[in-house]
Amino acid sequence: GQQVMQIPQYQHVQEGEDFTTYCNSSTTLSNIQWYKQRPGGHPVFLIQLVKSGEVKKQKRLTFQFGEAKKNSSLHITATQTTDVGTYFCRGTSYGKLTFGQGTILTVHP
Amino acid sequence: EAQVTQNPRYLITVTGKKLTVTCSQNMNHEYMSWYRQDPGLGLRQIYYSMNVEVTDKGDVPEGYKVSRKEKRNFPLILESPSPNQTSLYFCASSLSRAGGYTFGSGTRLTVV
């Protein structure tokens, strides 16, 4: 069955450093979405990628969808303490939707 | 304000005592879903609904029931809760199955 693996599980950075989380699927994805969950909060939808090789930016966040549509990444430039939380990807493949395990980001001031 | 409303936010109950967690959305979304979130296991889908009177099992449906009698409401029912159902539960809705989810604030359930 479809699996969406997300790495790393944890990432600790100093404020100002960059951060990247990766999602890898065992099957080709029709789309991938990214969510952010603040500590004690609920997941919030950030973005959806659909096209092969697609790159989208939201301020300091850059989202990429791989050429083969089997992987994706979220990159944060110059992290801030407000970036702390868990980042999830959610992939859709042949009608099945699967969340990655999430990457927990902590930012030390 | 567009939102998904879950109640209650916190619930402590005893094994075997039936409970219902309510979920309501005001966005006219067709797709609704329930997830449980456990440390190290991420978000796992319990049940989902494509539209009124259309529901289907997710990855971990055992011990849960749902109903979709109206488009806006999608309650989660635990007929006989057990301690292994202690978890953080999220309701979510979207325009379509592949669309971006709007999540509720969550219900932290403890079964003793």
Side-chain angles (χ1 to χ4, degrees):
Chain A
Q2 180 199 358
Q3 288 190 340
V4 175
M5 306 300 293
Q6 194 171 350
I7 55 169
Q9 190 174 357
Y10 302 94
Q11 186 77 59
H12 311 280
V13 300
Q14 285 292 131
E15 189 173 20
E17 291 181 339
D18 292 356
F19 159 76
T20 305
T21 175
Y22 301 89
C23 273
N24 298 298
S25 171
S26 55
T27 57
T28 303
L29 302 170
S30 54
N31 68 61
I32 193 156
Q33 298 171 354
W34 286 93
Y35 294 79
K36 176 184 178 181
Q37 184 178 16
R38 294 183 187 274
H42 57 276
V44 174
F45 174 73
L46 295 176
I47 209 161
Q48 175 168 291
L49 305 172
V50 179
K51 299 177 184 175
S52 169
E54 189 170 14
V55 178
K56 287 188 176 180
K57 293 192 176 186
Q58 289 179 350
K59 297 183 180 177
R60 293 178 295 104
L61 278 61
T62 302
F63 305 85
Q64 291 190 330
F65 201 7
E67 293 289 341
K69 300 183 75 172
K70 283 190 169 184
N71 53 69
S72 180
S73 64
L74 159 58
H75 179 82
I76 302 178
T77 303
T79 54
Q80 300 175 358
T81 54
T82 54
D83 294 325
V84 297
T86 304
Y87 292 84
F88 292 96
C89 62
R90 192 194 95 176
T92 302
S93 180
Y94 302 105
K96 184 165 173 59
L97 294 76
T98 305
F99 275 95
Q101 300 290 338
T103 296
I104 300 171
L105 172 66
T106 55
V107 180
H108 300 286
Chain B
E1 181 190 352
Q3 60 184 0
V4 176
T5 303
Q6 276 181 246
N7 281 297
R9 290 292 308 275
Y10 302 92
L11 179 60
I12 301 175
T13 190
V14 296
T15 299
K17 186 177 181 182
K18 180 179 178 180
L19 67 92
T20 299
V21 184
T22 63
C23 174
S24 180
Q25 51 94 4
N26 62 0
M27 296 165 282
N28 203 35
H29 283 171
E30 292 196 343
Y31 185 84
M32 298 185 74
S33 183
W34 277 102
Y35 284 85
R36 60 178 289 172
Q37 186 175 36
D38 302 288
L41 297 177
L43 289 157
R44 293 181 293 167
Q45 191 176 49
I46 303 170
Y47 268 95
Y48 64 92
S49 169
M50 303 281 279
N51 213 326
V52 176
E53 303 291 2
V54 181
T55 63
D56 210 343
K57 296 177 181 179
D59 297 316
V60 288
E62 293 76 22
Y64 304 93
K65 284 175 57 178
V66 292
S67 69
R68 187 95 181 271
K69 293 184 170 59
E70 306 163 284
K71 198 171 189 178
R72 63 185 294 123
N73 296 322
F74 190 45
L76 179 70
I77 303 154
L78 284 72
E79 293 271 4
S80 183
S82 62
N84 65 13
Q85 292 178 298
T86 292
S87 186
L88 178 58
Y89 291 87
F90 287 105
C91 179
S93 74
S94 61
L95 275 171
S96 65
R97 189 174 185 195
Y101 279 165
T102 300
F103 280 86
S105 297
T107 296
R108 186 166 292 282
L109 172 66
T110 302
V111 183
V112 298

